[in-house]
Amino acid sequence: MRIDKLLANLGYGSRKEVKQLLKSGAVKVEDAVVKDAKQHVDPNTQTVTLNGEAIQYKEYIYLMMNKPPGVISATEDHHDETVIDLLELEDQVYEPFPVGRLDKDTEGLLLITNDGQLAHRLLSPKKHVPKTYFAVIDREVTEEDVEAFAKGVVLDDGYHTKPGELKIIKSGIRSDIELTITEGKFHQVKRMFEAVGKRVVYLQRMSMGPLKLDETLELGEYRELTDEEVELLKNYQVT
Ligand code: URA
């Protein structure tokens, strides 16, 4: 990668500002001053220093956010705040994107990364990665619903869903449930409940594959995944 691109990506200034930095002799690669913005470096194997301090480079960033309601799961939006807007600039420089979408009003676990390969594997319909949601439903959820979901239900567009595992946590005039599905159709959880004549009034994603929402994260907060969590995700195979 070009040295000017590397430094600009890491937030050390615009390409123009980085060029000035280089010209000033502040940047060294393996103890040799580099002034040429076009010089290529391999930040994985070479040490790059700025005013004597090694720059911290990593190729990939993996973040877990507890998505708050009211923000969009996208990198850009003309009207609304996005989950990327909630990130610190030092994280935004890695150009991460959300892995899949949660509706604007949905809360909970959102993985944000710049690892396209991992994102692709987690989102591929062929992989059937299970996602578990907690939801509040506007009326009584019954054993018939559990059975219907276990067979799959027909959505408003005629699509027959794959089986979903529905657990009733509390049933009443409002019910608390957990639902695990292995697909990611548009508004899937809400539309599955519509298919049985009920409405989701609150929705939170609790897990995605092996990744569980860190309950210590407040809404809108995020943290880097641990090395262990990254390994779990990379090695994840649905059985
Ligand atoms: N299903 C929905 O209906 N909405 C979400 O945000 C996620 C799953």
Side-chain angles (χ1 to χ4, degrees):
M1 174 187 304
R2 276 175 58 143
I3 183 88
D4 58 345
K5 181 157 190 242
L6 172 75
L7 293 169
N9 282 357
L10 289 172
Y12 289 102
S14 64
R15 283 289 261 274
K16 207 168 152 199
E17 287 163 344
V18 163
K19 237 181 179 164
Q20 290 303 321
L21 259 184
L22 287 160
K23 262 198 184 151
S24 75
V27 180
K28 285 183 182 172
V29 177
E30 301 290 342
D31 293 328
V33 172
V34 172
K35 293 193 170 181
D36 179 3
K38 291 196 210 91
Q39 177 154 334
H40 279 249
V41 283
D42 179 354
N44 289 309
T45 57
Q46 293 179 300
T47 306
V48 181
T49 57
L50 175 63
N51 294 323
E53 285 214 22
I55 61 158
Q56 295 303 318
Y57 174 79
K58 55 191 170 202
E59 189 172 9
Y60 294 121
I61 189 166
Y62 302 91
L63 306 170
M64 171 194 296
M65 177 180 283
N66 185 2
K67 179 191 168 296
V71 299
I72 305 278
S73 306
T75 48
E76 283 177 15
D77 193 88
H78 290 306
H79 301 289
D80 290 296
E81 201 174 25
T82 71
V83 291
I84 302 300
D85 295 329
L86 300 182
L87 303 181
E88 302 283 342
L89 281 180
E90 65 192 51
D91 296 317
Q92 287 188 15
V93 295
Y94 290 94
E95 300 182 342
F97 52 87
V99 177
R101 281 172 182 256
L102 290 178
D103 296 338
K104 186 174 172 184
D105 59 351
T106 303
E107 300 179 2
L109 175 66
L110 189 65
L111 173 64
I112 299 173
T113 184
N114 57 354
D115 184 342
Q117 251 190 348
L118 180 78
H120 180 74
R121 274 198 286 119
L122 290 171
L123 294 176
S124 163
K126 290 191 204 119
K127 301 283 181 196
H128 312 296
V129 173
K131 282 147 289 216
T132 299
Y133 295 87
F134 168 80
V136 179
I137 310 301
D138 70 340
R139 62 189 67 200
E140 189 177 357
V141 175
T142 63
E143 284 307 317
E144 284 87 78
D145 297 328
V146 174
E147 282 162 33
F149 278 31
K151 291 187 195 128
V153 292
V154 179
L155 302 183
D156 46 8
D157 58 359
Y159 177 75
H160 195 138
T161 70
K162 295 214 160 48
E165 192 187 340
L166 176 59
K167 283 190 195 151
I168 301 170
I169 299 170
K170 191 181 87 185
S171 186
I173 46 165
R174 274 192 171 216
S175 306
D176 293 350
I177 63 93
E178 273 176 32
L179 175 62
T180 302
I181 54 175
T182 56
E183 304 171 282
K185 302 275 175 225
F186 187 59
H187 296 327
Q188 181 152 351
V189 175
K190 291 174 185 164
R191 288 163 72 212
M192 285 177 80
F193 276 97
E194 274 164 25
V196 294
K198 294 167 195 185
R199 201 164 61 85
V200 171
V201 293
Y202 171 80
L203 189 59
Q204 180 201 41
R205 182 155 62 192
M206 302 162 64
S207 68
M208 182 179 190
L211 197 61
K212 308 234 174 319
L213 176 65
D214 180 339
E215 304 275 347
T216 66
L217 292 174
E218 301 281 343
L219 286 171
E221 282 185 349
Y222 69 97
R223 66 158 169 81
E224 282 201 49
L225 295 193
T226 62
D227 291 346
E228 199 188 346
E229 286 168 329
V230 173
E231 281 312 298
L232 273 174
L233 276 179
K234 286 189 175 169
N235 298 327
Y236 186 64
Q237 299 282 353
V238 181
T239 47

